[in-house]
Each structure stands twice: as C-alpha cells, then as structure tokens.
Amino acid sequence: MRSRAGLVLAAAGCVPAMAVTVWWLVGDLSADVPPGTPLDHSVRPPDLAPWAETTIGAGALVVAAGTLAVLVRASARRRFDRRWWATLVPMLAAAALTGFGWRVVTAGSVGANVGAGLVVLVGGPVVALLVLWSAGWSIRLLLARRVV
C-alpha cells in the first residue's frame, strides 16, 4: 500500500477489527449451569448463530492481522511515520479492552454479574483515557506537521 490514504484506511480499519477479534477470541463467558437453568444478563448478547460468530471473528482476525502487517511494513520502509504508533497502540489497546469488556458485560450469570460492574467502573475510564491520549497525540502530530 503506497498511498497515504491507504495507510490511514489500514490504521482506521485495524481498530474496530481488533475489538471484534478480541471479542471472538475470548468467547462466551457465561456461567456453566445445568441445561434449562435461566441465566441473568446485564446486557443481552446479540443472538448470532455459531457459524456467523465464527465467520465474523475470523474475518476480523484476518483484517486486524493484515492491516497491522501493512502498517508495520510501511513503518519499516519509512512510509508510515513511526510517531503515529503512539496514537495507534493506545487505540488498539482500547479496542481490545472494549472487545473483552463486551464479553464480560454480556455474560450470563446466576445472580449479579459483578464483572460487568467492574468493567463499567474500571474499564470504562481506562478506555476513555486511552482514547483521549490518542486524540491528544493525533492533534499534536497534525499541528506539528502544519508548523513545519
């Protein structure tokens, strides 16, 4: 990928693909209970057939791996400014935490889902800080480019 727009597209596509990949790799975290036992959900998970979940997850894994490979190669060839990794890595971490957090929040449990509360109380602010860091660093890089 030689164009700047292609690299921007690769970076932008990598973030949601990372969230879906982690969501798929973590899998269902619902409690193991005897068949027929009702489970409580903080948030109901999407009702996806197993084949659809596998297709979506594997597709996201291919996209995440492919876009990361393109960006690493472009960075090694000095076509992708390495300073942008300081923006991209925190966004990828936020995406991974979001994918994991979604599995925890949608997990079925018997009684209260304490993990869902922890994800909201701890994970939410961590994701927000990572996104704010990325936004701030992006603005800094864009403004520095205009000054030069």
Side-chain angles (χ1 to χ4, degrees):
M1 205 171 284
R2 295 177 189 240
S3 71
R4 180 173 296 179
L7 292 174
V8 170
L9 184 62
C14 190
V15 174
M18 180 65 72
V20 175
T21 297
V22 170
W23 167 84
W24 177 59
L25 291 174
V26 168
D28 187 13
L29 296 176
S30 294
D32 288 331
V33 294
T37 305
L39 291 174
D40 298 322
H41 291 276
S42 300
V43 175
R44 283 246 177 246
D47 191 22
L48 294 173
W51 66 267
E53 190 172 309
T54 301
T55 302
I56 291 167
L61 178 63
V62 168
V63 170
T67 54
L68 276 174
V70 165
L71 293 169
V72 167
R73 185 173 181 197
S75 185
R77 293 180 171 201
R78 300 189 190 280
R79 291 189 178 126
F80 180 68
D81 189 349
R82 293 179 185 184
R83 295 178 296 170
W84 282 100
W85 285 105
T87 293
L88 188 56
V89 169
M91 283 302 293
L92 291 173
L97 285 171
T98 301
F100 175 76
W102 184 250
R103 279 297 193 178
V104 173
V105 169
T106 60
S109 62
V110 179
N113 184 348
V114 176
L118 287 173
V119 164
V120 171
L121 290 174
V122 177
V126 170
V127 168
L129 286 172
L130 289 167
V131 171
L132 284 172
W133 169 271
S134 291
W137 194 257
S138 295
I139 291 168
R140 180 174 183 242
L141 289 174
L142 291 170
L143 290 176
R145 179 173 278 174
R146 289 189 179 157
V147 171
V148 174

